[in-house]
């Protein structure tokens, strides 16, 4: 992970639960296919240093199909077919910014490089088994990331989609950040208000109002 995260999380990594979590994941890799690859588990923290975080988009756990997960919530490597939730996210961006060019691929690394922390609450999963590493200890770790970030920095937009993500609002002081809630972008729930939430334009309006550079969510969006 980025060096800037080390002071925030050094104590956490020494705790018994985290040591056991790392051992359990390592052991699982000996007999199962685990996603994402070991080198990409902490990609969200590698690509976005805490002092650069402007927006946090919380996912649940990584995609569990071959070649999909690469350590960023909702993102897939370039060339991989867009999962349904990501397709709806990109559709919502075009609704918010009709002048934007519709994204043709689902690698959201460019967002991470602009300050969007794409964090899943669970960072590993077994192939074909959604939520298989839930309650292994990842939630304790990622709750610490969210809580430390929310308490030590100001004016961050937290996008909380679906009931699972919205529970994390309890960790975030709402007097110093912007908390945006909406249904999950999954096809099962997106029709209940995800497209009408306009989170992407709201996030940029908040950032600009607090003197921060907005996010270019897609090519063609003016961020002046």
């Amino acid at each position: 992970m980025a060096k800037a995260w080390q002071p925030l999380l050094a104590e956490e990594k020494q705790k018994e639960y985290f040591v056991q979590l790392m051992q359990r994941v390592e052991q699982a890799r000996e007999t199962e296919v685990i996603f994402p690859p070991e080198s990409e588990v902490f990609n969200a923290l590698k690509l976005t240093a805490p002092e650069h975080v402007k927006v946090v988009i919380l996912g649940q756990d990584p995609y569990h199909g071959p070649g999909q997960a690469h350590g960023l919530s909702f993102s897939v490597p370039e060339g991989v077919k867009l999962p349904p939730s990501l397709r709806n996210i990109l559709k919502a961006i075009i609704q918010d910014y009709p002048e934007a060019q519709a994204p043709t691929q689902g690698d959201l690394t460019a967002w991470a490089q602009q300050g969007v922390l794409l964090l899943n609450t669970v960072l590993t999963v077994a192939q074909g088994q959604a939520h298989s590493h839930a309650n292994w200890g990842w939630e304790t770790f990622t709750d610490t990331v969210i809580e430390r970030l929310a308490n030590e920095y100001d004016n961050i937009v937290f996008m909380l989609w679906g009931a699972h993500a919205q529970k994390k609002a309890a960790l975030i002081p709402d007097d110093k950040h912007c908390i945006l809630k909406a249904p999950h972008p999954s096809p099962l729930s997106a029709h209940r208000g995800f497209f009408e939430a306009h989170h992407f334009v709201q996030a940029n309006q908040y950032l600009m109002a607090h003197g921060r550079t907005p996010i270019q969510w897609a090519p063609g969006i003016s961020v002046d």
Side-chain angles (χ1 to χ4, degrees):
M1 61 187 74
K3 287 184 178 179
W5 286 106
Q6 298 293 352
L8 281 177
L9 302 174
E11 180 182 344
E12 205 68 13
K13 290 170 67 179
Q14 301 301 316
K15 292 181 179 178
E16 185 64 23
Y17 90 87
F18 190 85
V19 174
Q20 292 179 353
L21 168 62
M22 292 295 97
Q23 291 173 344
R24 189 173 182 182
V25 173
E26 185 177 351
Q27 289 169 358
R29 288 190 188 276
E30 295 175 1
T31 57
E32 301 176 85
V33 177
I34 304 299
F35 299 131
E38 188 173 3
S39 62
E40 297 180 340
V41 170
F42 295 102
N43 254 2
L45 303 184
K46 290 178 183 176
L47 291 171
T48 313
E51 68 271 21
H52 296 150
V53 174
K54 300 174 184 175
V55 178
V56 177
I57 298 180
L58 284 182
Q60 194 158 355
D61 64 346
Y63 295 121
H64 51 81
Q68 292 182 305
H70 65 145
L72 302 176
S73 62
F74 295 104
S75 179
V76 292
E78 187 170 359
V80 174
K81 181 181 178 181
L82 297 181
S85 292
L86 178 55
R87 194 179 306 120
N88 283 338
I89 289 168
L90 300 180
K91 180 180 177 182
I93 290 170
I94 299 304
Q95 287 189 352
D96 278 7
Y97 293 97
E99 75 277 12
Q101 300 171 27
T104 57
Q105 56 86 33
D107 186 345
L108 305 182
T109 298
W111 292 6
Q113 292 169 337
Q114 294 179 74
V116 182
L117 181 64
L118 295 162
L119 184 68
N120 284 314
T121 57
V122 173
L123 299 188
T124 56
V125 70
Q127 177 172 301
Q129 301 177 53
H131 315 308
S132 50
H133 291 186
N135 302 315
W136 280 27
W138 280 123
E139 295 91 343
T140 301
F141 176 72
T142 55
D143 278 2
T144 299
V145 172
I146 296 164
E147 196 166 20
R148 297 279 182 87
L149 191 64
N151 283 307
E152 298 194 21
Y153 296 90
D154 297 321
N155 303 325
I156 296 171
V157 179
F158 289 84
M159 294 186 181
L160 307 181
W161 300 334
H164 177 81
Q166 287 166 17
K167 291 176 183 176
K168 306 302 180 181
L171 304 173
I172 306 163
D174 59 6
D175 59 339
K176 56 188 292 193
H177 300 291
C178 175
I179 301 174
L180 300 178
K181 298 179 181 179
H184 195 277
S186 161
L188 297 175
S189 55
H191 63 281
R192 298 178 189 148
F194 176 77
F195 295 112
E196 292 75 27
H198 302 296
H199 278 187
F200 300 98
V201 70
Q202 282 193 63
N204 277 350
Q205 289 170 346
Y206 177 87
L207 292 172
M208 288 187 289
H210 290 84
R212 309 197 73 181
T213 305
I215 305 299
Q216 186 166 35
W217 298 109
I221 295 175
S222 173
V223 293
D224 298 330

